[in-house]
Amino acid sequence: MGKALFHELKQLISLRSLKARIFFYILLAGVIPCLLMRFGILDNYEERSVERRIAAVQNQLLVIGNHLISHNYFNNTQTDEKAYAASRDVIDAELETISNLYEGRVLIVDSGLRVVKDTYGISEGKTIISEEVIRCFRGENTSYYDREHGYIEMTVPIMAAAASSEEGDQEASANNIVGVMLTSISNEAIVSTMEVLNRRAVILENLIFVFIVAIAIAVAILLTRPLNRITNAINEVQAGYTDENISVPGYAETAHIVEAFNQLLKRMKVLDDSRQEFVANVSHELKTPMTSIKVLADALLTEENATAELYREFMGDIVSEIDRENKIINDLLTLVKMDKKVQDMNVASLNINDLTELILKRLRPIARKKDVELVFESMRPVVAEVDEVKMTLIMTNLVENAIKYNKEHGWVKVELDADHQFFTFKVSDSGLGIPEDALAHIYERFYRTDKSHSREIGGTGLGLAITKSAILKHRGSITVTSVEGEGSCFTVKIPLTYIPQ
Ligand code: ADP
């Protein structure tokens, strides 16, 4: 249990499990837009709020600026001291109101950069040399938001005459600037609204997060369920409860896996059947000579007046049956060796012309016995990388078959040719030919078109199986064309250079 949990956790961390991947991808797809939205919206809100606040304050300051001019605020050379003081009070009250309203401070600077009014009352009479103020005197309105220290600073010019502040005439309007209002206001209202919004967004985000996690878990489990079902079904087959095709309803993709598995199962069944058939065939083939030997021996034993001649004759038959048994066993051993997965290829560069000549020389006596003419035609000298023993097997089997399954006074023609990649070894004969329906089976173990005739000739039905196996080891191919009663033609194609598996 603990081990299983550890395994699950390990899978989740390494992201190797499909379930974990689906879970994380859904989580990312849900959470990232959420976070982006929160920061995007809040940032945008802040920017717009600051802009709106600046615009509102600037408007009000412009109005006050006009009042300043109309009340001759900068010019205290008025004769009526009383009236000047009264109008100053009005302006001061206005400035007080605005600084209270926006929790800020307003400084009025005259053209000599002297502070004539400070709503905080600290800097009056002092000279202020600040870049913003100087730029404002040149006709540039500035505003600056300091988020870290929580204030917005702006400058608003005070124009001598409203009429001269025409649009686009910066130079002219700059000349009319008689003072600057340097204002800083608090951004606390914005910050507190942002905090409220942020808190709400975090709550909402947490809710969405929980919701997405739940959905991601559910989807990950649901999506991977058919895969678990397939694993279970395959395990059942593996455990041996059933060897039926598995059927798991699911997605098109899982249907493909199931289909592929069923195909594999089918192939395994075919292999299993052919293995059983092979064992049955081997037993049968080995039993036949034994039965003959027993019959012959029994006959000799029961024959009371058996002559020495009869003994010699029967013993001769027994020896040929033993030879046959030996041949079958040798062929079987060759085949088993050929089937071994471990490479036992002994490859060397070989003159194929010489090898063919040698094999034909060995087979010539058999051909002569059957009165079959053996012809060799070589188009060019061929040198190839082959396993000599296996190549000899291939050539001998094919030529031997062509002689064995031939008519009297027939012929066998061996042709050798090559291109830049392969060499072809072609054996054609004027023999019995192979029936069309048998062509697909001749490479099967123990297959013979005519069992009794073949046995009579001395065939085991293993020759072509061995031949094909040896050709495949060389990564070559074998094809056959045949007309029953007229003859057959086997063509072997083998690469000139050996390609290891
Ligand atoms: P066998 O040892 O019996 O010859 P093979 O595997 O070599 O077995 O051949 C399988 C069968 O294919 C033979 O029994 C024979 O019927 C048929 N066959 C093979 N080669 C030829 C051929 N050249 N002409 C006619 N039939 C052939």
Side-chain angles (χ1 to χ4, degrees), residues 401 404-405 429 433-434 442 447-449 454 459-461 463-464 488:
N401 275 354
K404 272 193 313 194
Y405 302 106
D429 62 58
I434 304 162
I442 50 172
Y447 182 85
R448 278 161 292 194
T449 48
S454 164
T460 58
L464 284 181
S488 318

Side-chain angles (χ1 to χ4, degrees), residues 32 72 111 150 197 277 281 291 298 300 306 347 367 379 397 400 434 442 499 501:
I32 289 177
N72 248 340
S111 52
L197 283 179
E277 196 188 305
N281 281 342
T291 316
D298 274 348
L300 277 183
V347 177
M379 305 298 167
N397 274 338
E400 211 180 338
I434 304 162
I442 50 172
I499 314 153
Q501 268 166 344

Side-chain angles (χ1 to χ4, degrees), residues 324 327 331 397-406 427-435 438 441-451 453-455 457-467 480 482 487-490:
R324 192 173 153 65
K327 191 168 161 27
D331 277 2
N397 274 338
L398 290 178
V399 180
E400 211 180 338
N401 275 354
I403 300 170
K404 272 193 313 194
Y405 302 106
N406 220 318
V427 183
S428 28
D429 62 58
S430 62
L432 314 169
I434 304 162
H441 302 286
I442 50 172
Y443 304 109
E444 286 170 15
R445 293 154 181 192
F446 296 116
Y447 182 85
R448 278 161 292 194
T449 48
D450 179 351
K451 271 202 185 326
H453 180 63
S454 164
R455 197 168 291 136
I457 292 174
T460 58
L462 293 171
L464 284 181
I466 294 171
T467 305
V480 59
S482 182
S488 318
C489 177
F490 284 85

